[in-house]
Every structure is written in structure tokens, then in C-alpha cells.
Amino acid sequence: MPTERISFPGHAGTLDARLDLPDGPHLATAVFAHCFTCGKDIPAARRIAARLTTLGIAVLRFDFTGLGHSDGEFANTSFTSNVQDLERAVAYLDSRGMPPTLMIGHSLGGAAVLKATANLPQIKAVATLGAPFDPGHVTHNFAAALPEIAAKGEAEVSLGGRPFRIGQAFVEDVTGEALAPAIARLHAALMVLHAPGDAIVGIENASQIFLAAKHPKSFVTLDDADHLITRAEHAEYAADIIATWAKKYLALKPPAPPIGAPEGIVRSAEADPNGFLQDITHGTRHHILADEPRAYGGTNQGLSPYGLLSAGLAACTSMTIRMYARRKGWPLEHVSVDVSHDKVHAQDADTASGDKIDTWKRVISLRGALDTDQRARLLEIADKCPVHRTLEKSSTVITELAEAQAAT
């Protein structure tokens, strides 16, 4: 995905940000708020942004004040200042003619987007991941330092192996915040995503957020994910769920297919550089995963490339048979096609070459009161399937290199 490195004014200085853009038409915009003391570049944020951009949704992710490369001192920030930074992020996007309609927040960032969205009528949908119902819950991360913070006004604490200075103003602000009124005022659709085994923010927080909200609202369990959603498969699952759900509320209008490509463009984008997982999209409405089995270094989260070819042959065969039976008015109740792929030596296929060739085996099941002649005819029609004909003929694959993109 193309990414712009940008900055915009926050409540106390400049905020460092990334604006992830779709490769194709821009159909909507989202804002992502990261977890407490995290940053815009955590894996969960990057993966969710990447998935949304395939739908034509641009995503702004930024470092809150005092974190990453953003200005300000973290010790002087608060929950209220995080909400203010979110409001300024929305204002920045408005100024660029990209008004956001989707807000996503992770952990304390989830609590912040709930608070901010209540005052942002243009937001149509908000999703939270592992968010606390009580923002003051975050103080358990540095509970041992609370007496020192109260006595000295601030103290240095270690969070995630990094030192941070926490001020008394932050503690008072976050513990005095109540989200229930803001959640009750939400005018946007809400999706709550949470892991039952979350050891940082318990699942009861998700229940409280869900119960405080009015419909439309949805709840999705993240199963055995950890609080930071560090495993790629969990982040991909969350991203896919949010993307699919958000389409209903953002009213995305699919763009016209490119000239010369009546069915649009199929794009395969690498989802896991350490394996082979691919994020495959067709336009803005269709999405599947491709992968390799674990035995071949993949994670087995999708069909293999040959599995996709087999699926194309099976689907086209079934459609062709149905179309013919429908036109003839024959009593075909159901059709299914099983396809397997193998490579066999050419001599096994009665050719003069010793090379291996591809062989697809189809097993067609027909259900209905069909006579013998009708079944035989439908078997013949299977060979008229366009994908079958393409596989039987030699094809030309034209490959060219896209223009180089500048590193960001």
C-alpha cells in the first residue's frame, strides 16, 4: 500500500503520522488509535490498515503526543489529551478533503475513540480492540508506582521494557473518566472485538462496553489472541472482520473496472513476508487468502495457487452445467464438482515428451430425476466450460515490472 509520511498539529505540538492509501480509488477514510504507550507502527495497526486499503479505505495512524516522533512530553499527557489529538486528526483529514467515517481504537486507544466519536457526528462506524470500559484500568500497569507519583507529582515507570514518566495529572484524569455516558450517546455503529483470555484488559470490559451501547452493535471474540494482537493470523482475522463489517456502514461505492479489464483486476499482495500468505482482492467487494501448507513453509490459511486454479475449474464447470440444464428445463436439483490436481510424466499421457504435465481430475455429481441421456449430455457440456478450454489450450502470460515506488 502507498504510504505518506505526514505530520499535523496536535493539542501540544506536531504529531507524526502515516497515511496509508489505496492503490486504486479512494472510497473512504479511517483513523486508527494505538494502545497505551504503543505507537502507530505496531503490527496490529499496520495489518489492519493494509487490509482496509484493499477496500479503498485510507487509514491515518499516528503517534499520540509524547510518543514515537510526535512532539511533547508524555508525562504531560492525559486521556483527555489523547481524545483531543484524535479530534485534531479528524480535523486534519477534513482539511485535506478526506473526512473520516470510521474510527478504530486498540486498548486505551479504543476508549479514546469511544469518547471522541460521541462528539464527531460524521463518524459512521467505530471498532474497538481490547478496549477498557474504565480508562482508569490502565493504571494497573504501574500500580506499584502510584504512591511515588502521588508524592512527587510524577515518576518513571517501565512499560514494555521502556521507561516512561507518568504524571499525577494523567492518573487523576484517566481515573476520573467515565465512558458510559459517551458510549450511550454514540450515533455510530459499534463493533467490540476482544479476546476472552486477554490478561491485560479482561473480557468483562467488552461486555460492559457492549451493554452500554445502543444498536447497531456487534461483538466478536478474538479467541486466543493476546492483548497486543501480536500473532499475524489474529491481526489478519481482526482486520478482515472489521473490513467486512465496516462496508455496511460506510456505503462504499465500488469503482468502475479498469478499461480493457471487464472483470476488474485481481491483486495478490503479500500479507506475511516471513511466510507465503497472500491477501487477494478483486475490486472492492471480494477478498480471499492464498497460502502454502505448513510442510512447504506456509501457514495454511488459504488455498494454494494450484488450489485456486482447481477452484476456478470446479466453479466454472458447475456454473456451465447449471446454465445448460436451466436452459433445457431439465430437473437438475444440485451439482457439485470435485477437482484434484497432479503433475504426471508426459509419457503417461501418451505424448512424446519426457517432461511432466499438469493433470486435473474432475468428479461431477448430479442430483435430480435425470435420465441416462441427460446425464451423458451434461458430462459433455462440462468440457465446454470456458476455464476448461483455457486450461486445454496454450496460454500467453505477459509480465511487466511496475514503476518503482519511492521508499517511505
Side-chain angles (χ1 to χ4, degrees):
M1 57 185 176
T3 299
E4 288 185 23
R5 182 171 182 174
I6 61 173
S7 60
F8 62 91
H11 85 283
T14 301
L15 300 179
D16 188 62
R18 298 290 184 274
L19 182 60
D20 300 314
L21 298 166
D23 279 326
H26 170 223
L27 307 179
T29 306
V31 176
F32 188 99
H34 61 72
C35 52
F36 181 58
T37 72
C38 297
K40 64 183 180 301
D41 296 317
I42 61 170
R46 293 199 312 270
R47 292 187 177 107
I48 290 172
R51 176 69 186 96
L52 290 174
T53 59
T54 66
L55 291 176
I57 302 173
V59 181
L60 176 70
R61 44 193 173 96
F62 67 95
D63 292 325
F64 282 116
T65 298
L67 293 171
H69 293 93
S70 291
D71 290 343
E73 295 295 330
F74 183 77
N76 296 328
T77 63
S78 65
F79 180 75
T80 298
S81 72
N82 286 350
V83 174
Q84 292 171 343
D85 284 344
L86 279 168
E87 292 171 344
R88 283 161 174 76
V90 171
Y92 167 77
L93 290 168
D94 284 343
S95 72
R96 286 192 53 166
M98 305 171 64
T101 51
L102 171 64
M103 299 281 268
I104 305 168
H106 182 195
S107 191
L108 191 62
V113 299
L114 290 172
K115 180 73 172 181
T117 299
N119 299 316
L120 295 170
Q122 69 267 47
I123 303 301
K124 303 303 181 185
V126 56
T128 64
L129 301 106
F133 177 69
D134 174 13
H137 181 279
V138 74
T139 60
H140 85 282
N141 291 289
F142 49 88
L146 289 175
E148 182 181 355
I149 295 172
K152 298 180 179 180
E154 66 177 46
E156 184 173 289
V157 302
S158 178
L159 299 170
R162 294 180 297 160
F164 291 92
R165 297 202 70 81
I166 304 290
Q168 180 63 17
F170 175 89
V171 175
E172 293 175 355
D173 181 72
V174 77
T175 55
E177 185 62 56
L179 281 185
I183 296 172
R185 297 199 319 272
L186 284 179
H187 42 268
L190 172 66
M191 171 172 278
V192 180
L193 300 98
H194 214 108
D198 191 327
I200 305 299
V201 179
I203 188 67
E204 68 278 2
N205 287 269
S207 300
Q208 291 171 302
I209 293 172
F210 186 83
L211 291 174
K214 297 181 176 67
H215 287 286
K217 56 184 177 180
S218 304
F219 180 85
V220 174
T221 178
L222 296 180
D223 295 333
D224 59 341
D226 61 13
H227 181 67
L228 293 180
I229 318 178
T230 51
R231 289 171 57 183
E233 58 265 37
H234 292 145
E236 291 293 338
Y237 175 71
D240 198 48
I241 290 292
I242 293 172
T244 302
W245 165 81
K247 287 191 295 184
K248 178 178 180 180
Y249 301 103
L250 304 190
L252 302 180
K253 294 181 180 180
I259 297 174
E263 292 189 72
I265 298 294
V266 174
R267 167 167 291 156
S268 182
E270 189 176 59
D272 180 8
N274 296 317
F276 298 109
L277 184 64
Q278 301 291 312
D279 203 356
I280 299 177
T281 54
H282 187 187
T284 61
R285 292 187 178 273
H286 306 295
H287 170 249
I288 57 175
L289 296 175
D291 205 346
E292 289 285 3
R294 295 184 186 279
Y296 293 97
T299 53
N300 200 32
Q301 295 185 61
L303 289 170
S304 69
Y306 275 112
L308 292 170
L309 277 175
S310 298
L313 176 59
C316 185
T317 300
S318 179
M319 292 175 184
T320 302
I321 290 173
R322 171 54 67 190
M323 182 173 60
Y324 187 84
R326 184 181 295 145
R327 187 168 70 243
K328 290 290 188 180
W330 290 355
L332 175 62
E333 296 177 2
H334 185 263
V335 56
S336 66
V337 181
D338 296 340
V339 173
S340 59
H341 167 264
D342 198 6
K343 285 184 176 290
V344 300
H345 285 286
Q347 60 263 32
D348 297 334
D350 297 325
T351 71
S353 170
D355 297 332
K356 286 188 175 183
I357 63 172
D358 292 285
T359 299
W360 276 268
K361 180 181 179 181
R362 281 183 303 193
V363 178
I364 300 171
S365 298
L366 305 173
R367 190 172 72 227
L370 301 164
D371 61 33
T372 301
D373 289 341
Q374 289 171 333
R375 289 179 176 273
R377 180 57 180 158
L378 290 177
L379 186 61
E380 293 176 3
I381 290 300
D383 288 346
K384 307 296 184 182
C385 154
V387 173
H388 175 103
R389 289 182 168 181
T390 297
L391 290 173
E392 280 192 323
K393 296 177 181 178
S394 59
S395 300
T396 299
V397 178
I398 301 173
T399 304
E400 56 187 33
L401 191 64
E403 292 184 9
Q405 296 181 353
T408 56

